[in-house]
Amino acid sequence: MISTEDIFTISSKKDFEKLTLKVFRHQYDNNILYKNFCDLLKKDKSNVKSLLDIPFLPIQFFKSHDIISSRETIQETFTSSGTTGMQTSNHFVTDVSIYEQSYRNAFSEFYGNIEDYCVLALLPSYLEREGSSLIYMIDDLIKSSNHPDSGFYLNNLNELAIKLAELDKSGQNVILIGVTYALLDLIELHQFELNNTIVMETGGMKGKRKEIIREELHEILCQGFGVPVIHSEYGMTELLSQAYSLGNGIFECPPWMQILIRDTEDALSYIDYGKTGGVNVIDLANINSCSFIATQDLGKKYPNHSFEVLGRFDNSDIRGCNLMVL
C-alpha cells in the first residue's frame, strides 16, 4: 500500500527511486491500459529494475482513454483547454486531496507560507470554462492566503492595475499569476515599477497572439512590470504536480516529481544533460492515474535536475500550458 505520506516525505534520491518503482508496480497491476501498453513494449514487473526501464505513457492517451489506477469513485474531472473542434484531455481524479497536498506543499517548498502573500490571478481563458485544474489550484491558494484583496480578474484590467500598484506600494508581498497573453494586455495599458510583486506566467497565448520565444517574452514582461525576472509555472491537466521557475526559464521540481529527457528519434532511449529531447515526467502524485507521462514538450535537463522547456514537437496541439514555440 502506498500512502500520501510516502509521496510527500521523499527526502533523497534513494527514497524517490524506491517509491517510483513501487508506484510502477502498483499501476501495472491496477491500470489495464497502462499494463497493456507496458506489455506491448515487453516491460513488466520482472524486468523493470530502474527508472530508465519504466515505460512512459504518451500524453495523447488522456484524450482517448480513461487513465485510472484506482477503483474509487471519481471526485473531479480536470479537462484541458482547446480550440473549437480540438479533442481535449480528461484527467479523472479519485482523490482530490492528493492534488491539494501536492500544490500546497510545492508552493510552500518554493515560496514559503501562502499567508505571506496577496494572490492576484489574471486567468480569463481558464475562468471562462469548466474543469481547469489551474483554476482549482489558484482558487484554493487565493482562499488560503486569507488576504482580503486576493482574487481573480477577468477583463477588468484597469481595476487590476490600480489594485496591483496600491498593494505593491504598500509593501505587501504580491503574486500576480497570469496567462501570457493577458499579462501582455495588462502592460500595454499600464506600465509598472513593482518592488514587492512576483509576476508568474503560466504560458500560452490561447490563440490570442502570435507565439514568441521565452527570452523575448520575459524581456517584454520585465520591462512592462518593472521587475528583474519573470517566474513561471510548468503544469498540465494530466499531472497533479507543478514545477516552478524562479527566473530565466529554469524549472525545478518538488521532491515527488522528476523530469527525464528522451531521444526524439528513439522514445525508449534517454539523452545526456544539456541536449534537447522530449520531456518525460514522473509525477508520483498521479498515483491513481498514471505517474509516467511522455509529454509533447521539448526540453533540456541539467546535472542539478533543473530543466528548460524549449518548445513542442511539430504538428502537436497547442495547449494552455505551452510555454513557447521553437
Side-chain angles (χ1 to χ4, degrees):
M1 189 68 183
I2 301 167
S3 70
T4 54
E5 183 177 358
D6 293 332
I7 295 169
F8 297 120
T9 57
I10 291 172
S11 59
S12 68
K13 178 181 178 181
K14 184 177 179 181
D15 285 348
F16 182 87
E17 292 182 354
K18 182 178 179 180
L19 186 59
T20 296
L21 291 172
K22 191 174 181 180
V23 168
F24 165 75
R25 293 190 291 269
H26 166 78
Q27 293 182 343
Y28 183 86
D29 287 339
N30 291 279
N31 187 323
I32 294 173
L33 174 75
Y34 185 59
K35 179 181 185 301
N36 291 340
F37 177 73
C38 292
D39 289 346
L40 285 170
L41 296 175
K42 299 185 177 357
K43 295 286 187 178
D44 59 31
K45 293 188 293 183
S46 67
N47 58 19
V48 170
K49 304 293 186 182
S50 74
L51 302 191
L52 299 184
D53 296 329
I54 295 174
F56 283 73
L57 190 72
I59 200 166
Q60 298 95 315
F61 276 74
F62 281 85
K63 294 182 177 182
S64 55
H65 296 77
D66 297 350
I67 314 297
I68 304 175
S69 300
S70 170
R71 296 182 181 179
E72 299 298 318
T73 302
I74 295 169
Q75 295 181 353
E76 292 281 345
T77 300
F78 293 128
T79 59
S80 62
S81 57
T83 57
T84 302
M86 183 186 292
Q87 190 175 5
T88 57
S89 295
N90 291 301
H91 189 178
F92 300 107
V93 180
T94 57
D95 187 350
V96 75
S97 71
I98 297 177
Y99 181 42
E100 292 168 348
Q101 288 184 71
S102 178
Y103 64 66
R104 288 171 183 169
N105 289 358
F107 183 91
S108 178
E109 176 106 0
F110 289 98
Y111 294 101
N113 190 343
I114 185 61
E115 293 187 357
D116 293 337
Y117 297 92
C118 175
V119 180
L120 305 179
L122 182 58
L123 300 165
S125 298
Y126 294 91
L127 282 173
E128 292 164 347
R129 68 178 184 85
E130 295 183 355
S132 167
S133 58
L134 179 63
I135 292 297
Y136 188 101
M137 175 180 77
I138 299 301
D139 183 56
D140 186 58
L141 293 177
I142 285 171
K143 292 172 181 174
S144 299
S145 72
N146 291 320
H147 195 286
D149 291 316
S150 289
F152 287 100
Y153 288 80
L154 191 56
N155 298 312
N156 44 342
L157 296 181
N158 289 328
E159 181 183 341
L160 171 59
I162 293 169
K163 180 61 66 177
L164 180 58
E166 287 177 350
L167 288 166
D168 188 86
K169 187 176 181 180
S170 73
Q172 170 65 48
N173 292 325
V174 177
I175 290 184
L176 171 64
I177 182 166
V179 63
T180 303
Y181 81 85
L183 293 174
L184 291 170
D185 288 346
L186 180 60
I187 60 173
E188 284 182 358
L189 291 174
H190 301 274
Q191 292 289 298
F192 301 88
E193 287 295 335
L194 302 175
N195 299 303
N196 300 293
T197 298
I198 292 170
V199 178
M200 182 187 298
E201 53 99 358
T202 66
M205 293 298 191
K206 311 294 288 180
K208 305 284 187 178
R209 289 171 177 259
K210 181 181 177 181
E211 299 278 347
I212 57 177
I213 62 171
R214 175 186 55 79
E215 289 84 357
E216 182 182 353
L217 169 66
H218 283 205
E219 182 179 352
I220 293 169
L221 292 176
C222 282
Q223 290 177 355
F225 286 107
V227 294
V229 295
I230 300 297
H231 293 223
S232 303
E233 181 254 4
Y234 181 76
M236 57 191 70
T237 300
E238 299 84 358
L239 303 177
L240 292 184
S241 298
Q242 303 78 33
Y244 288 99
S245 167
L246 306 188
N248 302 316
I250 305 298
F251 289 90
E252 295 184 28
C253 296
W256 55 92
M257 179 183 182
Q258 193 173 123
I259 301 296
L260 301 175
I261 304 296
R262 67 182 184 272
D263 191 328
T264 56
E265 302 298 327
D266 178 5
L268 302 181
S269 299
Y270 295 93
I271 60 176
D272 294 336
Y273 294 124
K275 294 186 177 180
T276 300
V279 175
N280 284 2
V281 180
I282 299 174
D283 179 10
L284 299 185
N286 263 13
I287 181 68
N288 293 323
S289 55
C290 184
S291 291
F292 313 103
I293 306 297
T295 77
Q296 294 174 313
D297 293 324
L298 291 165
K300 294 179 181 180
K301 185 176 178 180
Y302 298 103
N304 65 353
H305 295 296
S306 64
F307 69 100
E308 284 187 85
V309 178
L310 301 174
R312 296 180 59 73
F313 283 90
D314 289 341
N315 303 318
S316 61
D317 294 343
I318 296 176
R319 294 146 36 112
C321 291
N322 172 26
L323 293 179
M324 300 297 125
V325 294
L326 287 176

